[in-house]
């Protein structure tokens, strides 16, 4: 059988159609938003906050104001459309006019939060400059540091999350995750002047809270210990499962801190590779008690 | 010397041409496929399995069947061209008509496997929903979970790998690796309902086998201990080097399990950061015996 | 208030303009280069070194020389423009003609280094083939191995770094970081035949030196222990902070080696997850003294 | 006043919005189709009829069948959407489901007519080859003759016109007009083996009929004499206003034939620049009686 | 000699560089604007006047106001940049800040004229609907009539011309010329309710004036008779050379009216193919006195 | 029947495939070149001759030489590929290596002719400036005059035609025809300092020869009278059919000059709308003897 013959007679397309329709009985995921659309909106919001950094062409500074006004207008419309689509999909008991009205109010609220986010990021840049001896200038940080990229996305996504828009924030933080290896759930609460050095493998869970002036290294996990199941064996959602980190804490590479009751007191230092499932008071130093590695001459 | 003068007289282009030709004596890697082409095909196959999720525009559901038929046709042609190119490059003793014929048969076989892959992914989505308390809906999983992205690519690449097409499967899983931080070799065997939480840093080796209903956390390695060399000091290829994981196993973050003889029995739990180079029986709990980290008040 | 009304009267664009201008008082980061421009140049340089691999279409081999000449010309002009922009931004006391002149000289020097980089990468490919039993061919390595992608970018960025061009090298290595999870500072010094298996989570610091024939696994950190602060509490920049690795060393997954005084002697092996903050002599084997993990039958 | 100040305070956008809304009171022209969308559909239909000629890449002939099937599918869906939009806009008393149903039936009818159009165009190509001594091959005709381009578009548009779809056919023939200078109303009736040499300035009116084997040169007008007005002074629409041309007629450059009662009998020749407002019997030769131009030596 | 050898040694690029530099001694045409940039601006201005008609996607009417505001902002900036470039190139004695200042004032003046142009085009659409029995709706006219396309461009270009911006207006009307075959110099003065049927071959000269409610058919020329030369044999520029057409005149296909002293009085009709080089009083009918064409039976 | 059902069962794609294959028995027009490819090459050649004019971005003049060298290289390769394809298609008795060799020689010959074409165009620009009182500068002519666009394309196409490459030249001049309304066959011979004012509707036939310093207006035809048929009733190809125009001739709008024996002597003027089928001696003035048009008051 040649490929042409097979193409004329096969049922693969029909099977795939059926399978997709079967799996989506209640919801119509095909019809309200794609990942690409969400990421495009994220990029638009980010270029309102940090114009020029992530664009194709540098922004002419004398035109900055007009560029911002234009960008705000077009972003507002797209964001409103996207939120409208999401609301229509998720709030079945509302009529469409109410949905649109709510989408407009949410859009306004999200956009009004952008200046505050810009201000937070300014502090994050400062923290990066002070926290990394290799940082040569704030431009370098904006143009190349994964921490800054992850935080610029997280702070937008978290703001949208707190406004109550579903689904979009998580798609946004996963876009940061894929680009930086830093996985922060949009529900986490993070204070000012936050910096993550290198960053790959960092995980910060949904119900985590982090104070001001905290610094993390690569591979740090702020995670859940375990989670209770309901009577059907499914995890109970919405419970506090992740630790709290107070102000001025440094957590070195590969450290793992787990549990909703675990609280790291302010001005503490957590050593590399530490595995910690209970709290530490303020001004603690936590390190592994394990013996030094063994160094032997090679055999043979 | 100005740049224009240098451009007129330099030999850099000639040197680079020579170096590239020298390094490619037997093979003509420049002429059969580029990474971009392979990834384009991967995306086409994936949008047959999960239409709309990763596209630019949502798919209108009432047109789903026609969209699928169109997509199948065009994907079939491109895939066949690509496989034909790879076969012509790698099978020197075949004539071109035989190569094309084989390419067509392989293309049909690959496409016929898509419905089964869709069905496997449906189970993976379910496993993610049940395995992560932060998961709000199956749409969220499809649109944002790195585990689902990695598995949708792995399951396609593995299918192509088992059909015997060289090179393409590895390019595909590396595309997943770069996007998710999850590095699964296309040769690995993975059962139903598989879920990886967070995922960055996970490594699953070529000869690994994994049962049904297994859950991994970030940073887990299922790797090789060491590998025998041949008389020239080169590694002997094609040997069983990676562990077997049976059904219903959970492996927490940062655990490392090594070796082709290592088998983790069903219904076991492997703790975080464990370094394991030998087998564990079914229903085991494996954890580090190390003392708790030391917590001291900060000096000074 | 509808969205249209809000758009007509809001001050968000003005606030964002003001915030961006405030934060950039001395510098005009908006006006000299964007990340996209730097990455485009990086891709052009890379396709001079490894033509066809990362392109949209395969390169016809009989045209290789002419393709190279064309590519060199257009890359030279773009690179010179970019460097000119960076110099004008960073060297305030030079006049523009001097800047352009310096930019041209730097461009020539960078391009003249490409053949040597191609030669280094040829050795890296060989090292990968010999170091990974799963590697089937050198094409597979070029087309899919993150190590090769990271090294092709690092070796270009390092060359630009040693020529003294600021900012660009770091943007380039961060592009590698986001795509491979391998974070190598462009200031690091790395010898011939270098290979990183899997790679996610690897960190190699700015003042690290690595000999020939070194092999790393995923999650290895070659980092700083801590760093001295100046009288203002800011880190003192430019100090040797990262370890030296001599020839023929293998470092297994998750090992952490820290400190500017730490030197790993040639022909040593560093075991997985080892945390090492002092030197080891040549021919050492370093491993964790920790007891094996405990394996218990599951309770209940 | 700077541009930025003006942008902040002007009312031009508001005025333009108002003007556009005022002019579109009954209809919502902004919401159902753009010229670009119609032309895209036209191109899709044309590449079904003449695959490869107008594409970016040549079509691989061995894949022709699969290419056609793919193209038919995607064209069908887009065409149906466009017709649905037009119908919804123009047929106010139908409900949407009826509109969609009618759009589907019209789409099927249009697509089923394509093979007949291909056959007509085959004859047109033959007529061009026989009618132009400069024609070297049928490929040259397909790739470069404006007559063939205009006829391929006209025959599609006319078919859609006879199916009763409004607006779209005229946009299509105007696309031909802009590209070839040949202005044929989609309502005209044209027989087999039609050829226009050079073509610029040709006008063929809505109620014109043309037999088989007719040849026109550039600048020929088959137009209306004048048209009756209704009581409001507006032209009465839908009256026969343009001439009939029977089989085997040749009309030379610049000739003008006007009026709904004017009929040119078969096997006639109409000379260049003739201005004709009444009929000619079969086998006529029509030419200007005007004296030859005067040739004088130049004065001075 | 192979192509590669030739490419390595030829001097064609050098010759072409030299020839282009020689021909551009005074001016730097390469450095201020390209045709594409001018046409892009034209399209932006046009979509402010007739939103949605010529775009890729229909405009959502409820967002019209915000779309307009966005579009006005971005168009203003691009237009100002373009005018700035042209002024810098053409006004050698001004300093750059003055140029920019003038460019901003011109930009504002151009944009403030857009509502008046929209209003004129509304009348032109009405005139087309009343003047063409084949016109089915005003949408059809906007979406397909070459007259409307030419006039929308002419009215923009003429406005820019009267503001005193050089070069750009002519590039714009030539863009209309290529798309419609209607060649109107941007310096011509044209009243309200103007319509050209079919249009190919129409020429309207620089110093022509046309009243209200005038209708032209294809191939009409409103041109110059001849023009005086200066002492060097070059044409004297800036002299009135083209006719005046008063209100309510109809000019049929192919008519030619020449000369700066020629004035067609109001409410006149000019017949097809008439060649007229002197004035006609109001209420004239002008037609060719030539005998009818001769109709003979074909010989042989 | 729904559209989906129809799509599943129809035979339209099969019919269209069959029809296209039937009509292309000997030739494989689908496989050697598309119109788009030819036009892309034309644009590349043109931007070598007139850099920057037709591009997206202005060319930086200080980089002109390097831009030219880059452009020449890439154009050479594409042109050679295209000619190779055409030769392989049209010269059945050559082997492929000979074809490639011939294609390389033709490519070199074509490229070596470019400086001479640039020089001719320089004269054409001068002639336009002197011939049109509305011309403000040579930039305006290059950026907007259809005559210059048509001649830049014709002179390239004619050069390729005289090198003996089939099919491509005609596609190129038809691209000029569609953009300018000026239809010049690539076989025509045209001297220096040639200018066409307005241009729409100009036709210049394949065997026409035109001297230096000739000026044409819109609608001028230099055509064939009639052409002899062979025994099968097909036109005999390759005969001299079009007139000769000597130096310093002006031909006004709408004039028609026909026949291979017709020769217009140097320094002649041909009046508007003249229809001329025999020769005129040098220094002739040719005009229509027709009486002036009749001007009557309009009947009431």
């Amino acid at each position: 059988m040649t490929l042409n013959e097979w193409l004329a007679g096969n049922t693969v397309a029909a099977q795939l159609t059926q399978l997709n329709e079967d799996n989506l009985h209640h919801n119509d995921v095909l019809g309200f938003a794609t990942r690409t659309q969400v990421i495009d909106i994220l990029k638009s919001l980010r270029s309102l906050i940090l114009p020029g950094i992530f664009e194709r062409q540098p922004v002419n500074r004398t035109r900055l104001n007009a560029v911002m006004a234009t960008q705000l207008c077009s972003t507002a419309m797209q964001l409103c459309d996207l939120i409208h689509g999401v609301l229509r999909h998720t709030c079945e008991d509302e009529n469409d006019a109410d949905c649109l009205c709510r989408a407009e109010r949410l859009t306004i609220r999200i956009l009004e939060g952008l200046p505050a986010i810009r201000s937070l990021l300014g502090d994050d840049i400062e923290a990066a400059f002070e926290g990394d001896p290799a940082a040569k200038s704030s431009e370098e940080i904006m143009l190349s540091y994964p921490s800054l990229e992850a935080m610029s996305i997280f702070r937008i996504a978290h703001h949208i999350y707190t406004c109550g828009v579903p689904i979009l924030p998580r798609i946004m933080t996963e876009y940061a995750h894929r680009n930086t290896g830093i996985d922060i759930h949009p529900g986490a609460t993070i204070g000012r002047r936050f910096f993550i050095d290198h960053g790959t493998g960092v995980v910060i869970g949904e119900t985590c809270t982090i104070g001001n002036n905290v610094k993390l290294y690569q591979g740090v996990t702020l995670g859940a210990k375990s989670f209770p199941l309901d009577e059907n064996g499914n995890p109970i959602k919405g419970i506090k499962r992740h630790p709290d980190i107070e102000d001025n804490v440094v957590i070195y590479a590969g450290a793992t801190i787990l549990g909703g009751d675990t609280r790291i007191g302010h001005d503490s230092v957590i050593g590399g590779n530490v595995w910690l499932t209970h709290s530490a008071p303020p001004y603690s130093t936590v390190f592994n008690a394990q013996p030094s590695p063994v160094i032997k001459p090679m055999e043979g």
Side-chain angles (χ1 to χ4, degrees), chain A:
Chain A
M1 182 166 57
T2 68
L3 184 57
N4 273 344
E5 289 163 3
W6 182 81
L7 281 171
N10 79 84
T11 62
V12 167
Q15 288 176 62
L16 287 168
T17 304
Q18 194 55 50
L19 278 163
N20 272 289
E21 293 196 335
D22 287 354
N23 278 292
L24 296 170
H25 34 102
H26 292 310
N27 310 310
D28 181 19
V29 76
L30 303 166
F32 74 97
T34 70
R35 200 164 69 172
T36 305
Q37 292 176 317
V38 178
I39 293 169
D40 283 350
I41 276 291
L42 171 65
K43 288 178 179 167
S44 296
L45 291 167
R46 188 172 57 173
S47 78
L48 276 164
I49 292 176
L50 295 171
I53 302 298
F54 305 97
E55 320 289 298
R56 184 141 283 279
Q57 294 289 328
V59 173
N60 183 333
R61 205 167 173 180
T62 64
R63 293 284 153 71
L64 188 54
N65 189 45
V67 167
M68 291 307 231
T70 305
Q71 179 76 4
L72 186 73
C73 242
S74 67
T75 305
M77 288 182 290
Q78 291 167 47
L79 179 58
C80 186
D81 282 347
L82 198 63
I83 293 178
H84 185 196
V86 172
L87 293 183
R88 203 162 37 195
H89 173 67
T90 52
C91 320
E92 297 178 21
D93 49 335
E94 277 180 293
N95 68 40
D96 194 59
D98 289 352
C99 268
L100 179 56
C101 195
R102 250 184 81 202
E104 296 213 344
R105 282 200 310 272
L106 284 166
T107 302
I108 294 170
R109 199 171 143 206
I110 290 167
L111 295 174
E112 283 181 334
L114 296 183
I117 294 174
R118 177 63 184 84
S119 160
L120 283 168
L121 287 171
D123 289 2
D124 291 335
I125 293 166
E126 224 175 272
F129 187 78
E130 291 172 12
D132 180 10
K136 302 292 187 295
S137 65
S138 62
E139 285 86 345
E140 194 184 48
I141 291 164
M142 281 190 277
L143 284 162
S144 66
Y145 272 47
S147 178
L148 205 265
E149 176 161 18
M151 289 311 291
S152 67
I153 294 171
F154 165 76
R155 294 205 184 277
I156 293 168
H158 177 68
H159 175 47
I160 298 176
Y161 180 96
T162 59
C163 291
V165 178
I167 293 180
L168 306 192
R170 183 66 186 268
I171 298 176
M172 292 177 174
T173 53
E174 279 302 330
Y175 175 74
H177 184 190
R178 67 195 287 132
N179 279 335
T180 65
I182 297 170
D183 177 2
I184 313 179
H185 194 283
T189 304
I190 301 182
R192 300 190 86 89
R193 292 178 50 80
F194 183 69
F195 177 53
I196 303 171
D197 206 355
H198 308 297
T200 311
V202 164
V203 172
I204 301 176
E206 183 180 17
T207 62
C208 201
T209 72
I210 296 178
N212 298 323
N213 216 30
V214 169
K215 179 172 168 185
L216 264 54
Y217 283 81
Q218 71 271 24
V220 165
T221 294
L222 306 178
K225 260 193 291 203
S226 70
F227 38 83
L229 304 180
D230 64 15
E231 60 270 32
N232 301 318
N234 287 331
I236 300 174
K237 315 232 160 181
I239 292 177
K240 165 82 172 159
R241 307 183 302 282
H242 308 96
D244 300 309
I245 311 296
E246 296 182 357
D247 295 349
N248 310 318
V249 170
V250 179
I251 308 178
Y252 282 101
T256 302
I257 302 173
L258 303 178
D261 299 328
T262 305
R263 163 170 291 262
I264 305 302
H266 58 82
D267 296 282
S268 293
V269 173
I270 312 298
N273 280 5
V274 158
W275 182 275
L276 192 61
T277 55
H278 51 268
S279 298
Y283 298 105
S284 297
T285 302
V286 184
F287 55 89
N288 275 347
Q290 67 183 40
S292 291
V294 180
I295 303 183
K296 300 197 307 187
M298 203 165 277
E299 291 157 27

